[in-house]
């Protein structure tokens, strides 16, 4: 098996998440693919235990490794930077619990969990005083992750200002390094003359969109992998209320920040389950914030001592001005109940799962929100898992459900290399949930929902009741897709990126990585562009497919590949208009040398005012690490 040498040496207590259900496999980077991240975390190459390990076991594990409500699971702590953990222990929320530790012991446990405490060697280049002020003539063009409420990921010509014929002239203008990390997965957002991005160390940056200098930064409690959703205003006016940016961190906290100053306005934790997380960008509609909730309980189930499983996916509605909750709608109707008590007292619970990894699609005409759900974690599988779910935007009540894969109950305990698979459900997969939401495509006469699934299937669904109208199998599918983080549409043309990752389990000869175009109302192919393979010499963590969300502009669709290539495809034919290989080092504005790598995650390329912004690097789950935001323009831009 291609990845068996890596899998054999994994430690399940350092599981990290790709950001969608079922892509959960251990962090494993080959030595020749980037930095030694174990050493960065203070773990000796010889295998000698870090001194903080014993402190963690004695003082922390009782809560953080035991499924205690409100206590983030250890897998989350290991995604937090060491300096942030130390601050929490020293004078933050964990100070009362760590009062019996010496300062040295606090530092040791923080380093054990989060790595280096030294901070950044190359801080971002700050804007000079008066160099880059907030531009009230530049309101946001996007309503959220999917650009428009329908989540079509189409940027109109008036915003993109990059005709298809000018795309071949694109050249690199500047590069921004995310300090000290191995992935870049917060989709850029734009307003006030700035670009806003989050980072794995919890920092949100406001960068001048033209020069890249930093206006301000804000530090959240943990990694910010979502994009930033921005309140609209009328160009040329200064609103009476603060202009807000909304985002979420991986500890299920949603933030509202003043976009002009970078100051926090409110912060809300949307779910108290210890494995709850928020990976989807918040949606702003009609004065409300809608936030999807997912979890890492799927990974925690790999531990045979873990009492699996109790998490239920949900969507939460909050007042955009105050953060006050209006409603919370669970994707599983029934609360988890005790299913079985095993020998020795260990218990099993259910139902659980149906996480929501994606940003809701807004149907303003019907007053509905649409989301895609994940697989179940426990048996028996429920009718709302692996489904498109329609919610009433006012009440959160479920209007209809269209399930596209029955009997899909799965968690990490089902992997073949797990010795004790006690938590694996009877169904044992196939693990083909929805990582991205459906798009609402319109032609002036008809509306249709188009949804892509990790199985490689694309579905056409009637928004009036959820009837299935067509189905096309585009990719082979698999543990990491299939179709992962987002389709795009230009008119009635749907662009379908296929990863078909070589996971060493499914037949590689059946894989169809590449870009495909379908008619939104029939599902018929308009063109096919299988990806060529340039992975020779790039290490075993290179794959040719497209996992990252893609973005359409007039005449083109732009996609980042897992092999590090950024491409623009002609919308009409699929011909390649432009290509840039990011698998290399880059000189950046701060002086830090950044690295490009795999494109993956929900952070799709963005095109604004003639410039293309793209994040490169995804150093988890057998993909190539990197930490760079790249900005391209034509010679005159």
């Amino acid at each position: 098996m291609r990845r068996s040498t890596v899998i054999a040496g994994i430690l399940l207590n350092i599981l990290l998440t790709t950001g969608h259900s079922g892509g959960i496999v251990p962090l494993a980077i080959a030595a020749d693919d980037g930095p030694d991240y174990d050493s960065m975390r203070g773990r000796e190459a010889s295998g000698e235990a870090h001194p903080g390990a014993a402190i963690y076991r004695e003082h922390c594990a009782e809560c953080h490794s035991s499924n205690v409500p409100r206590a983030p699971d250890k897998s989350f702590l290991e995604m937090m930077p060491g300096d942030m953990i130390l601050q929490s222990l020293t004078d933050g929320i964990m100070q009362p619990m760590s009062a019996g530790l010496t300062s040295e012991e606090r530092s040791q446990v923080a380093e054990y969990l989060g790595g280096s405490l030294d901070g950044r060697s190359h801080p971002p280049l700050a804007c000079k005083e008066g160099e880059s002020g907030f531009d009230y003539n530049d309101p946001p063009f996007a309503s959220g992750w999917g650009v428009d409420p329908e989540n079509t990921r189409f940027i109109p010509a008036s915003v993109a200002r990059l005709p298809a014929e000018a795309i071949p002239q694109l050249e690199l203008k500047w590069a921004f390094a995310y300090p000290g990390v191995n992935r870049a997965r917060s989709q850029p957002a734009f307003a006030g003359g700035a670009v806003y991005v989050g980072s794995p160390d919890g920092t949100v940056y406001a960068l001048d969109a033209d020069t890249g200098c930093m206006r301000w930064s804000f530090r959240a409690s943990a990694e910010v992998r979502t994009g930033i959703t921005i309140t609209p205003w009328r160009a040329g006016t200064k609103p009476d209320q603060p202009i807000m940016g909304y985002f979420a961190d991986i500890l299920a906290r949603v933030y509202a920040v003043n976009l002009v100053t970078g100051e926090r306005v409110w912060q809300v934790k949307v779910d108290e389950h210890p494995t709850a997380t928020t990976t989807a960008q918040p949606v702003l509609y009609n004065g409300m914030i809608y936030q999807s909730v997912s979890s890492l309980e799927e990974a925690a189930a790999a531990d045979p001592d873990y009492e699996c499983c109790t998490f239920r996916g949900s969507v939460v509605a909050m007042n955009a001005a105050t953060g006050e909750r209006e409603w919370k709608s669970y994707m599983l109707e029934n609360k988890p109940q005790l299913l079985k008590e095993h020998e020795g007292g260990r218990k099993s619970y259910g139902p659980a799962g149906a996480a929501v990894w994606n940003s809701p699609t807004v149907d303003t005409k019907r007053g509905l929100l649409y989301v895609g759900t994940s697989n179940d974690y426990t048996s028996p599988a429920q009718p709302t898992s692996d489904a498109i779910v329609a919610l009433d935007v006012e009440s959160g009540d479920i209007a209809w459900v269209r399930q596209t894969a029955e009997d899909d109950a799965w968690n990490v305990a089902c992997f073949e290399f797990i010795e004790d698979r006690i938590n694996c459900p009877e169904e044992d997969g196939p693990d083909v949930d929805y990582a991205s939401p459906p798009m609402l495509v319109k032609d002036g006469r008809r509306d249709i929902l188009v949804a892509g699934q990790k199985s490689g299937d694309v579905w056409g669904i009637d928004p009036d009741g959820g009837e299935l109208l067509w189905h096309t199998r585009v990719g082979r599918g698999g543990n990491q897709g299939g179709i992962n983080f987002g389709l795009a549409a230009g008119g009635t043309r749907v662009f379908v990126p296929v990863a078909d990752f070589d996971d060493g389990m499914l037949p590689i000869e059946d894989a169809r990585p590449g870009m495909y175009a379908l008619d939104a109302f029939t599902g018929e192919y308009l063109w096919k562009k299988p990806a060529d393979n340039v992975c020779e010499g790039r290490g075993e963590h290179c794959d040719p497919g497209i996992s990252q969300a893609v973005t359409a502009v007039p005449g083109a669709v732009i996609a980042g590949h897992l092999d590090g290539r950024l491409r623009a495809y002609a919308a009409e034919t699929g011909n390649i208009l432009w290509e840039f290989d990011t698998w290399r080092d880059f000189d950046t504005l701060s002086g830090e040398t950044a690295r490009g790598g795999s494109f993956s995650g929900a952070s799709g390329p963005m095109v604004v005012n003639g410039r293309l912004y793209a994040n490169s690097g995804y150093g988890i789950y057998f993909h190539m690490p990197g930490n760079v935001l790249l900005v391209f323009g034509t010679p005159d831009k």
Side-chain angles (χ1 to χ4, degrees):
M1 189 181 295
R2 177 184 175 196
R3 313 202 188 264
S4 60
T5 56
V6 178
I7 291 175
I10 62 126
L11 295 174
L12 287 173
N13 67 339
I14 56 170
L15 285 169
L16 300 179
T17 179
T18 59
H20 60 91
S21 172
I24 298 180
V25 293
L27 169 64
I29 301 296
D32 59 352
D33 275 342
D36 180 351
Y37 292 104
D38 279 346
S39 294
M40 288 173 62
R41 289 168 101 53
R43 297 177 172 87
E44 299 295 335
S46 65
E48 180 183 347
H50 190 285
I55 302 169
Y56 174 84
R57 286 193 298 270
E58 182 178 354
H59 297 278
C60 312
E62 184 176 356
C63 291
H64 294 288
S65 294
S66 302
N67 200 22
V68 173
R70 298 176 181 264
D73 189 79
K74 186 187 180 191
S75 57
F76 285 119
L77 300 181
E78 290 174 324
M79 284 187 273
M80 295 174 64
D83 66 321
M84 184 178 289
I85 295 173
L86 181 60
Q87 186 276 331
S88 180
L89 293 170
T90 302
D91 54 17
I93 192 171
M94 293 302 295
Q95 193 277 331
M97 281 67 81
S98 66
L101 300 179
T102 67
S103 59
E104 182 180 11
E105 288 172 329
R106 293 191 194 103
S107 296
Q108 287 173 337
V109 74
E111 185 180 70
Y112 163 67
L113 291 167
S116 172
L117 308 180
D118 294 337
R120 305 166 184 161
S121 57
H122 291 82
L125 177 68
C127 298
K128 297 177 182 177
E129 187 174 353
E131 180 182 16
S132 181
F134 193 88
D135 184 1
Y136 289 95
N137 289 308
D138 182 32
F141 69 88
S143 62
W145 170 84
V147 180
D148 50 36
E150 295 79 16
N151 277 340
T152 65
R153 300 190 59 80
F154 178 80
I155 301 176
S158 59
V159 173
R161 297 179 184 173
L162 183 66
E165 57 270 21
I167 289 177
Q169 303 173 38
L170 288 173
E171 58 187 31
L172 184 63
K173 294 296 183 179
W174 52 266
F176 173 81
Y178 296 97
V181 300
N182 72 336
R183 58 196 180 274
R185 52 180 181 170
S186 169
Q187 180 169 285
F190 301 84
V195 53
Y196 306 89
V197 289
S199 71
D201 76 350
T203 304
V204 174
Y205 298 98
L207 309 174
D208 184 271
D210 186 42
T211 67
C213 68
M214 184 181 69
R215 293 181 178 179
W216 54 256
S217 65
F218 171 88
R219 192 84 183 270
S221 299
E223 177 177 359
V224 175
R225 56 177 302 173
T226 74
I228 287 79
T229 298
I230 301 170
T231 53
W233 73 89
R234 193 171 75 253
T237 64
K238 187 174 181 179
D240 294 333
Q241 301 299 318
I243 298 170
M244 305 270 250
Y246 302 93
F247 54 90
D249 70 18
I250 61 169
L251 295 180
R253 296 185 176 107
V254 178
Y255 299 79
V257 169
N258 186 313
L259 210 67
V260 179
T261 65
E263 297 172 337
R264 186 177 68 187
V265 178
W266 57 257
Q267 172 186 322
V268 173
K269 190 168 176 63
V270 291
D271 197 291
E272 296 297 343
H273 195 280
T275 68
T277 188
T278 39
T279 60
Q281 184 170 330
V283 168
L284 173 64
Y285 173 65
N286 201 23
M288 299 292 291
I289 286 291
Y290 299 94
Q291 180 64 56
S292 304
V293 185
S294 185
S295 90
L296 290 191
E297 189 172 40
E298 197 171 46
D303 181 353
D305 293 327
Y306 182 79
E307 296 192 335
C308 174
C309 285
T310 56
F311 172 82
R312 292 184 293 163
S314 66
V315 177
V316 180
M318 296 167 284
N319 182 291
T322 66
E324 182 179 357
R325 180 187 295 181
E326 297 289 335
W327 53 257
K328 182 171 186 173
S329 181
Y330 287 100
M331 298 298 101
L332 297 178
E333 180 180 4
N334 297 319
K335 294 181 180 180
Q337 303 292 326
L338 177 64
L339 299 179
K340 184 176 182 181
E341 187 163 351
H342 303 269
E343 185 177 347
R346 184 190 159 280
K347 299 177 176 66
S348 292
Y349 298 87
V356 185
W357 300 94
N358 44 77
S359 297
T361 300
V362 181
D363 186 337
T364 57
K365 181 170 72 173
R366 296 172 181 83
L368 296 175
L369 302 175
Y370 307 107
V371 295
T373 63
S374 85
N375 53 285
D376 295 278
Y377 302 163
T378 57
S379 295
Q382 303 296 302
T384 49
S385 63
D386 286 4
I388 301 303
V389 178
L391 305 170
D392 183 276
V393 73
E394 296 292 339
S395 66
D397 294 341
I398 294 179
W400 56 257
V401 176
R402 167 53 61 184
Q403 188 175 54
T404 56
E406 298 178 349
D407 300 324
D408 186 11
W410 184 92
N411 60 54
V412 173
C414 297
F415 273 127
E416 62 181 21
F417 54 84
I418 301 297
E419 184 175 343
D420 188 343
R421 305 174 79 221
I422 189 171
N423 283 328
C424 179
E426 294 178 8
E427 293 89 339
D428 192 3
D431 178 30
V432 289
D433 52 289
Y434 285 95
S436 58
M439 300 184 300
L440 182 61
V441 180
K442 306 176 181 181
D443 71 353
R445 298 178 297 110
R446 303 165 294 173
D447 299 350
I448 192 169
L449 289 166
V450 182
Q453 196 169 353
K454 278 177 51 186
S455 58
D457 296 285
V458 183
W459 308 87
I461 299 170
D462 186 351
D464 292 311
E467 179 186 355
L468 181 62
L469 301 177
W470 58 260
H471 164 227
T472 302
R473 184 74 181 272
V474 181
R476 177 205 63 189
N479 184 255
Q480 294 195 45
I483 299 150
N484 268 356
F485 288 103
L487 311 174
T492 61
R493 188 182 304 267
V494 172
F495 303 106
V496 182
V498 174
D500 277 6
F501 175 69
D502 183 7
D503 57 10
M505 294 179 281
L506 296 177
I508 187 60
E509 59 269 19
D510 295 339
R512 298 193 291 273
M515 182 73 78
Y516 301 83
L518 304 178
D519 182 281
F521 288 92
T522 67
E524 296 177 355
Y525 283 102
L526 301 177
W527 50 257
K528 304 176 182 180
K529 193 68 177 182
D532 56 326
N533 195 330
V534 297
C535 286
E536 182 69 29
R538 297 192 181 208
E540 67 172 332
H541 300 299
C542 176
D543 262 77
I546 308 172
S547 176
Q548 189 183 67
V550 299
T551 305
V553 296
V557 58
I558 301 168
H561 287 240
L562 287 167
D563 58 23
R565 290 181 296 174
L566 183 62
R567 281 179 158 180
Y569 294 82
E572 292 289 330
T573 64
N575 292 336
I576 296 170
L577 301 174
W578 173 81
E579 178 177 304
F580 186 91
D581 192 350
T582 71
W583 189 67
R584 62 180 179 87
D585 291 337
F586 293 91
D587 295 328
T588 69
L589 299 171
S590 65
E592 178 176 353
T593 299
R595 179 75 185 179
S598 294
F599 289 89
S600 192
S603 172
M606 288 284 108
V607 183
V608 183
N609 291 329
R611 291 201 165 184
L612 166 61
Y613 299 77
N615 280 318
S616 179
Y618 207 73
I620 49 178
Y621 298 93
F622 310 114
H623 302 311
M624 301 187 299
N627 65 328
V628 66
L629 170 66
L630 300 170
V631 181
F632 302 88
T634 56
D636 60 332
K637 291 287 187 179

